[in-house]
Amino acid sequence: MASLWSSLERDVFNPQSKKLLETICVWKTGKKKKMSILCVVVDAFKPVQPFLVKVKVDRGEQYKIAYRWPLAELKLVDGKTLDQGLWRSAWVFTSIEINEKKNSFPALRPGQIKYICTAWLKGKSCLQASLDFDLHFDKVYKWTASSSDEKKTFIRCLWKLNHRFLSRAIKFVNVPSCPVEGRQRPQEDRKDAAETESQEELSAYQEMTPKEAADVLRLMEEYEPLVNNSVAFAEQLSNDLHVLDEANLRAIISSEKQVTKLMSSIDEALAEVARVEETLQVYDELLGSVKQQMDHIHQENSLLHHILSNKTKLMDEILFLTTHLDLGKEHCEALSRADLSSPSGLKACVAAAEALSGCMNIQIQPGYRKLQAVAEQLIMFETLKQNFENSFISHITNIFELQGNAQVNALMNPFDKLSAQSHGLHHEELAPYTPLTAWLRNANPVLFSDLPKVYAQNLSRLYDREIKAFFEQAKMFLLGRRKGSLQEGLEKPMVMGSRQHLRWSLPGSREGQEDTPDKGNVIKQMLEQVLRELQPLCTAEQQFIEKFFHLSQNTAELQVLEIPASKGGENMASAEDPPCTKPRSQLEEPTARLLSEIFSSLEPELRGFLDVCNKTHPFSCLQVLVTLSDSVFEMWGSSSAPPSSFLNTVLGNMLLLAKSSFNKCIGTLCKEIKEAKAPSKMRGGILPSVSRFEEFVNFSEEVFRTAQRRGELDKAHLRLASSVFSSINSLFSANLKANTDMVMMENFHHIHCFLCQKKIQCLEDKKREAKQRYSEHMEKYVITYLGQPLEKLNHFFEGVKARIAQGVKEEEVSFQLAYSKQELRKVIERYPGKEVKKALETLYRKIHKYLSPEENLLPVVWHAMEQELIRQYQELEDLIQRCYAGSGITMDFTMADLLSYFNSITLSSV
């Protein structure tokens, strides 16, 4: 109830300056479906008038006043409650029945009789607490309360307001005294209870009180001698009573005059009271008429107050309408003329359009639109708006068409300098109309939505012609067809030829060293110049259309573009790719869509120019990739270009294309390296695939020297290195005249030295692998060639080691027929010192003949052979000592002889 009370006060009555006194939830008698709330309210200001308000609750739990009656119009309140007279009648009737049937009932106390009476009334349905009540206005409203307490409280509130404000004009019927008298009724209940108790005391035995007992004892003590004689005691008490009665009579007779005087005073007082009552009744009648007059005066004052308040509100509304719905005459004339050609006329139109928007955007009540003056004014505003909209659209469309039809030849720059035409003059011409486009966007969004499309359709024709002319001029400079400041002294461009042309004309090779640097610099310079010219052109156009057409563009963080997988299945995107905006197909912003239409030819022309750059020489794709990547990073970090600019999107797509071309070129080169076959007459030296790998790394490192990102290059290096290693491994299946291990040793040694020189971080693993492979093949090569000087001796001791491995004891090996001491002496006699030295000299000459002089591996290989031969000698001596102990067999040369042989051969070659 507290929440209902507070909600009604807050939402319904406080805004109307009413004070809520009582509420009751009711429904129409016999219809309990729709519940309403009856509220008794009074005005919060004087004169105070009570009202009865019916409040309904809608589906949204909102309170709404359904009807309101002044309480002065209420004539009668019918409580439909059992009267106390019926209760008393029932009491008497029940008492009579009980007295008539004394033989049937034992002696009953009054409380029991009351209980029996109540039970009898309930049994006969005479005592029913009714929740219905009627309110008689001009029409009788029958209601049913939700509870008896609410009904009693509601009727009590009406009774109090009737006595206080309505001079008891409302009649109450079938209403018990308890609800209307409030707190007076409990006093009467207590009085009736006291009377009932006294009757009970008379009819029932009561014990003496302590005081009464004390008085009886004192009396007994006084007449103690007579107590034993009851007759004498009774006579004594009778005599004493007679004496007291006689004294009372004498006192009454002596005070008769005083009683007579008192009675006369009482009669005079009664007469005076009657006169006062008559006077008060007269005064009451007079005050009643005065009260009626004062009430009438209060009502008239209230009506006058309402009239004055309504006049004030009406004047305020009239002033509001006349002030805000009044458009100046000069504004009307400016909108009617629509002079948009002159600066003064344009300024007047802008001010008039803003004033018209202010008038049309005023929020007025729907009922005001039915007023004739207001309707005529709104119709005039709408007519002015539509006429001016048509004039403005026609004028601005003509400007768009004139700009779109401008001639390219008149706008081109001199041919000796590559530059894109600026559109600053066009933007300055349209800039004064920016306030009007903002007005049109708010006034008629549907009509405004077509304006950017018209601009894009017209300006796209101009940009198409200018961009095509710009890229044609750039291609001329690049290909050297015309002499310019950026392309002086260029030779004819190289054209991609066959696979053999790609193989032997690699950048950095001896055949292409003269023109490659110049051509690479020209491509880089030309592409940078093209991008430098395009950036301010696209940025200025984007900033203009965003400001002119008031396009909302949300600046998002730039995202890294993922490059699709190449044909070979390798993912071409790297974590170091420059962040770019999303492709235009994924952008939903109005700015991106509009710029896509304006610069519809930019991406195809830029793609064609990059194709020309890629065809200039085989590895120009490196220059294109580096230049585009650096440009995107610079543009992304530049404060002059928006982070999600249109040019960023285009360059991001071009960067994807450049990476695809680069990876395609690397894939082709890897395939050629893997499929390359070494010449059949090759006797040694560095393979062509290794030389090409070295030349490509030199050229690419020079190109990427200043690049901000080199993730694509590192992956390309790894792919090429793997292809080169595969090409070297394929030598096992080739029919070479030279030793395969020697050729592989030289090439892996060359790769290791080259990578140590370059210090490329991504190829560190390949460098370690090359060193390991170089060491393995050198060991195989040394072992293979060292078997030739001591072939039979090595063969003999290999058999000895085989017998030991089979389980023959070392001291029993000499007893084997094939490995006896005599056989050992025969083998040793075949290798005297002179023969060993001669065999080493022959081996040295053979190694010197086949090893490549560029690698300078002869000292290294010769030293490795020396160490290997010494190790073998020590192993043979150890086997002789263990297997042929005490035989006195030794080889014809010693360790010192071997060292002297190697030193003499080395010195003689120097």
Side-chain angles (χ1 to χ4, degrees):
M1 181 62 70
S3 60
L4 174 64
W5 189 289
S6 60
S7 300
L8 288 172
E9 283 188 332
R10 181 183 66 252
D11 300 335
V12 180
F13 299 116
N14 286 343
Q16 299 182 2
S17 300
K18 302 292 183 182
K19 182 179 180 181
L20 180 62
L21 298 181
E22 192 58 60
T23 63
I24 181 174
C25 296
V26 297
W27 56 84
K28 291 184 179 180
T29 302
K31 298 180 181 179
K32 194 175 180 181
K33 294 183 179 180
K34 296 181 180 180
M35 180 175 289
S36 303
I37 303 173
L38 291 181
C39 303
V40 179
V41 299
V42 296
D43 293 327
F45 52 86
K46 293 183 178 180
V48 178
Q49 290 185 354
F51 294 91
L52 181 64
V53 180
K54 177 183 176 183
V55 179
K56 289 185 177 181
V57 184
D58 58 10
R59 295 181 180 179
E61 297 297 330
Q62 299 294 327
Y63 299 102
K64 183 178 179 181
I65 295 179
Y67 204 82
R68 182 174 64 177
W69 302 273
L71 208 58
E73 298 179 3
L74 181 60
K75 301 175 181 178
L76 183 140
V77 177
D78 187 356
K80 294 186 177 182
T81 305
L82 181 66
D83 195 7
Q84 290 291 336
L86 180 60
W87 171 268
R88 293 189 179 92
S89 299
W91 171 267
V92 172
F93 177 77
T94 305
S95 301
I96 294 172
E97 282 188 351
I98 293 173
N99 291 328
E100 290 177 352
K101 299 179 180 180
K102 287 183 179 179
N103 298 327
S104 301
F105 291 96
L108 299 177
R109 296 177 62 182
Q112 295 174 336
I113 296 175
K114 182 178 180 181
Y115 175 79
I116 295 172
C117 179
T118 303
W120 177 81
L121 287 174
K122 286 184 179 180
K124 292 189 176 183
S125 301
C126 294
L127 185 60
Q128 294 181 352
S130 176
L131 300 178
D132 300 338
F133 64 94
D134 296 345
L135 300 179
H136 293 248
F137 291 93
D138 294 337
K139 177 182 176 183
V140 178
Y141 296 92
K142 298 179 180 295
W143 305 101
T144 300
S146 59
S147 65
S148 59
D149 293 337
E150 288 188 1
K151 175 183 173 182
K152 293 178 181 179
T153 306
F154 180 74
I155 294 177
R156 183 182 297 116
C157 180
L158 294 179
W159 185 83
K160 291 180 179 179
L161 292 176
N162 180 39
H163 283 68
R164 182 174 181 182
F165 297 105
L166 304 176
S167 301
R168 302 181 181 181
I170 303 175
K171 184 179 181 181
F172 291 83
V173 297
N174 295 328
V175 178
S177 58
C178 179
V180 300
E181 295 177 2
R183 296 183 179 179
Q184 297 176 1
R185 184 60 186 172
Q187 296 176 358
E188 295 180 0
D189 291 342
R190 287 194 296 270
K191 183 177 180 181
D192 294 340
E195 293 177 356
T196 303
E197 290 176 358
S198 63
Q199 294 177 1
E200 292 178 354
E201 290 175 358
L202 293 176
S203 60
Y205 170 77
Q206 291 183 350
E207 185 180 359
M208 288 191 302
T209 63
K211 183 178 180 182
E212 292 174 346
D215 293 339
V216 171
L217 291 175
R218 186 171 60 256
L219 181 64
M220 296 292 289
E221 291 176 355
E222 183 177 355
Y223 295 97
E224 183 177 359
L226 298 177
V227 172
N228 296 328
N229 189 354
S230 60
V231 176
F233 182 65
E235 290 179 357
Q236 182 65 33
L237 291 177
S238 177
N239 293 332
D240 291 340
L241 181 61
H242 180 72
V243 173
L244 291 174
D245 290 338
E246 185 180 356
N248 289 334
L249 289 175
R250 290 177 181 177
I252 292 172
I253 292 171
S254 62
S255 61
E256 182 178 2
K257 295 180 180 180
Q258 296 178 355
V259 171
T260 303
K261 186 177 180 180
L262 177 62
M263 294 300 293
S264 62
S265 298
I266 290 174
D267 292 337
E268 292 177 359
L270 291 176
E272 187 67 25
V273 168
R275 287 194 300 272
V276 171
E277 286 181 352
E278 292 177 358
T279 304
L280 290 177
Q281 185 175 1
V282 173
Y283 288 164
D284 190 22
E285 294 177 355
L286 294 176
L287 289 177
S289 61
V290 172
K291 186 177 183 302
Q292 293 179 355
Q293 295 176 1
M294 292 301 297
D295 291 341
H296 182 69
I297 292 173
H298 283 311
Q299 291 180 358
E300 290 182 351
N301 288 338
S302 177
L303 292 176
L304 291 176
H305 175 75
H306 286 303
I307 292 173
L308 180 61
S309 176
N310 291 336
K311 286 183 178 180
T312 304
K313 292 180 180 180
L314 179 60
M315 184 59 65
D316 293 339
E317 293 296 330
I318 293 174
L319 291 176
F320 173 80
L321 293 176
T322 55
T323 303
H324 294 87
L325 294 181
D326 183 24
L327 186 63
K329 183 178 180 180
E330 65 280 3
H331 293 327
C332 294
E333 293 177 355
L335 293 174
S336 300
R337 291 195 307 269
D339 183 13
L340 300 173
S341 301
S342 62
S344 58
L346 179 60
K347 184 177 181 181
C349 289
V350 171
E354 293 178 353
L356 179 62
S357 296
C359 293
M360 297 186 69
N361 293 334
I362 292 299
Q363 298 294 331
I364 59 177
Q365 298 181 11
Y368 291 165
R369 298 181 181 273
K370 298 180 180 180
L371 298 176
Q372 182 178 359
V374 175
E376 292 176 354
Q377 196 75 358
L378 294 178
I379 292 173
M380 184 192 71
F381 291 160
E382 187 65 26
T383 303
L384 288 174
K385 181 176 80 71
Q386 292 180 0
N387 294 335
F388 183 72
E389 285 175 355
N390 296 331
S391 300
F392 173 67
I393 291 296
S394 177
H395 181 79
I396 201 70
T397 303
N398 292 333
I399 296 178
F400 293 162
E401 292 178 353
L402 291 175
Q403 291 183 358
N405 295 329
Q407 297 297 324
V408 179
N409 294 333
L411 300 175
M412 286 296 294
N413 287 324
F415 291 115
D416 58 345
K417 183 179 180 181
L418 180 65
S419 61
Q421 177 63 35
S422 174
H423 284 226
L425 296 178
H426 294 166
H427 298 164
E428 291 177 1
E429 182 182 2
L430 294 174
Y433 298 96
T434 303
L436 291 180
T437 58
W439 170 81
L440 182 63
R441 182 184 183 183
N442 296 326
N444 195 339
V446 177
L447 189 61
F448 172 80
S449 62
D450 296 332
L451 194 61
K453 299 177 182 178
V454 176
Y455 175 82
Q457 291 174 359
N458 288 277
L459 269 296
S460 62
R461 299 196 301 269
L462 176 62
Y463 275 109
D464 287 348
R465 296 192 297 270
E466 291 182 354
I467 289 173
K468 289 179 181 178
F470 173 74
F471 279 105
E472 286 295 330
Q473 188 181 10
K475 293 175 184 178
M476 292 178 185
F477 281 123
L478 180 64
L479 299 177
R481 296 176 184 175
R482 303 179 59 185
K483 300 296 181 180
S485 59
L486 294 176
Q487 184 73 7
E488 294 182 358
L490 284 180
E491 299 178 359
K492 293 182 179 181
M494 298 175 60
V495 182
M496 292 286 289
S498 62
R499 183 175 297 181
Q500 183 179 1
H501 175 83
L502 175 64
R503 179 178 301 169
W504 299 112
S505 299
L506 294 173
S509 64
R510 296 182 180 88
E511 299 175 7
Q513 285 179 352
E514 297 180 359
D515 57 348
T516 296
D518 292 337
K519 288 186 179 294
N521 292 333
V522 168
I523 293 174
K524 181 179 180 180
Q525 293 175 5
M526 186 57 60
L527 187 55
E528 288 178 351
Q529 180 68 17
V530 168
L531 297 179
R532 280 197 300 269
E533 293 296 328
L534 290 178
Q535 179 179 356
L537 179 68
C538 297
T539 302
E541 184 65 31
Q542 178 175 347
Q543 292 175 350
F544 170 73
I545 64 173
E546 288 177 356
K547 181 179 179 182
F548 186 74
F549 294 108
H550 310 278
L551 301 177
S552 58
Q553 181 174 0
N554 297 325
T555 303
E557 294 183 358
L558 299 177
Q559 300 182 0
V560 179
L561 289 177
E562 295 183 357
I563 305 175
S566 62
K567 188 174 182 181
E570 181 179 352
N571 188 4
M572 295 180 292
S574 65
E576 297 182 349
D577 288 341
C580 304
T581 55
K582 296 180 179 180
R584 284 176 296 172
S585 59
Q586 300 179 6
L587 290 177
E588 299 298 336
E589 296 145 349
T591 304
R593 294 195 299 268
L594 191 60
L595 288 173
S596 300
E597 186 175 356
I598 294 174
F599 294 103
S600 58
S601 62
L602 176 60
E603 187 168 337
E605 290 293 332
L606 186 56
R607 189 187 299 268
F609 179 72
L610 294 182
D611 291 339
V612 174
C613 292
N614 290 333
K615 293 178 182 179
T616 304
H617 64 77
F619 285 97
S620 56
C621 58
L622 275 74
Q623 289 284 4
V624 173
L625 178 62
V626 173
T627 305
L628 283 176
S629 179
D630 292 346
S631 298
V632 170
F633 269 101
E634 291 176 2
M635 189 176 300
W636 177 61
S638 175
S639 59
S640 61
S644 57
S645 65
F646 172 78
L647 185 59
N648 247 0
T649 304
V650 175
L651 293 183
N653 295 335
M654 294 302 102
L655 184 59
L656 292 176
L657 180 63
K659 290 180 179 180
S660 178
S661 300
F662 173 75
N663 283 277
K664 184 177 180 181
C665 178
I666 296 301
T668 302
L669 184 59
C670 291
K671 184 178 180 181
E672 290 181 357
I673 290 175
K674 291 180 180 179
E675 295 178 355
K677 295 182 180 180
S680 60
K681 297 181 180 181
M682 181 177 181
R683 295 181 176 272
I686 305 304
L687 295 174
S689 59
V690 177
S691 300
R692 279 187 303 212
F693 172 72
E694 178 182 357
E695 293 162 0
F696 175 82
V697 170
N698 287 328
F699 177 77
S700 61
E701 287 295 323
E702 179 62 25
V703 172
F704 279 81
R705 180 171 51 86
T706 58
Q708 301 183 25
R709 293 291 185 273
R710 52 173 296 142
E712 295 297 322
L713 181 63
D714 290 342
K715 291 193 293 184
H717 283 167
L718 290 173
R719 292 179 62 190
L720 287 174
S722 300
S723 300
V724 170
F725 280 31
S726 299
S727 177
I728 296 175
N729 292 333
S730 65
L731 293 177
F732 283 112
S733 60
N735 296 324
L736 300 178
K737 291 184 178 182
N739 185 277
T740 303
D741 290 322
M742 180 193 71
V743 177
M744 297 177 71
M745 174 190 68
E746 286 184 323
N747 283 275
F748 280 120
H749 177 266
H750 183 81
I751 293 175
H752 176 262
C753 295
F754 174 71
L755 295 181
C756 289
Q757 178 185 358
K758 287 299 179 181
K759 297 180 180 179
I760 301 175
Q761 185 66 29
C762 67
L763 295 178
E764 287 295 323
D765 293 338
K766 293 295 181 181
K767 181 179 70 174
R768 289 189 288 269
E769 183 181 355
K771 182 178 181 181
Q772 179 182 357
R773 301 289 296 277
Y774 148 70
S775 300
E776 292 175 357
H777 288 289
M778 185 176 68
E779 183 178 355
K780 293 180 181 179
Y781 176 69
V782 169
I783 293 174
T784 301
Y785 271 83
L786 276 182
Q788 295 177 3
L790 307 174
E791 182 177 359
K792 293 183 179 181
L793 188 61
N794 289 332
H795 181 69
F796 180 84
F797 279 102
E798 285 178 0
V800 173
K801 289 189 284 185
R803 291 295 185 274
I804 295 174
Q806 293 174 1
V808 180
K809 295 182 179 181
E810 294 179 351
E811 58 272 11
E812 296 178 357
V813 173
S814 60
F815 297 102
Q816 299 287 329
L817 182 60
Y819 304 101
S820 62
K821 298 177 183 179
Q822 290 79 9
E823 292 296 328
L824 176 59
R825 288 189 181 97
K826 289 179 183 180
V827 175
I828 289 176
E829 287 176 356
R830 292 182 182 182
Y831 294 98
K834 293 181 180 181
E835 292 296 329
V836 173
K837 181 178 180 182
K838 185 178 180 181
L840 290 176
E841 290 175 350
T842 303
L843 179 61
Y844 182 83
R845 287 192 297 270
K846 189 175 181 180
I847 294 173
H848 184 271
K849 178 181 180 181
Y850 287 104
L851 282 178
S852 175
E854 292 84 359
E855 296 303 314
N856 195 23
L857 286 176
L858 181 59
V860 179
V861 175
W862 187 245
H863 180 69
M865 285 190 171
E866 179 182 358
Q867 297 298 323
E868 181 64 24
L869 188 57
I870 291 174
R871 186 191 64 79
Q872 291 181 7
Y873 177 81
Q874 292 175 350
E875 184 180 1
L876 295 178
E877 284 289 340
D878 183 61
L879 286 174
I880 293 173
Q881 293 295 330
R882 289 188 288 117
C883 297
Y884 301 94
S887 63
I889 301 174
T890 59
M891 287 188 285
D892 289 344
F893 55 90
T894 62
M895 181 75 70
D897 294 334
L898 282 177
L899 294 175
S900 63
Y901 298 157
F902 276 99
N903 288 333
S904 61
I905 293 172
T906 303
L907 293 174
S908 63
S909 63
V910 177

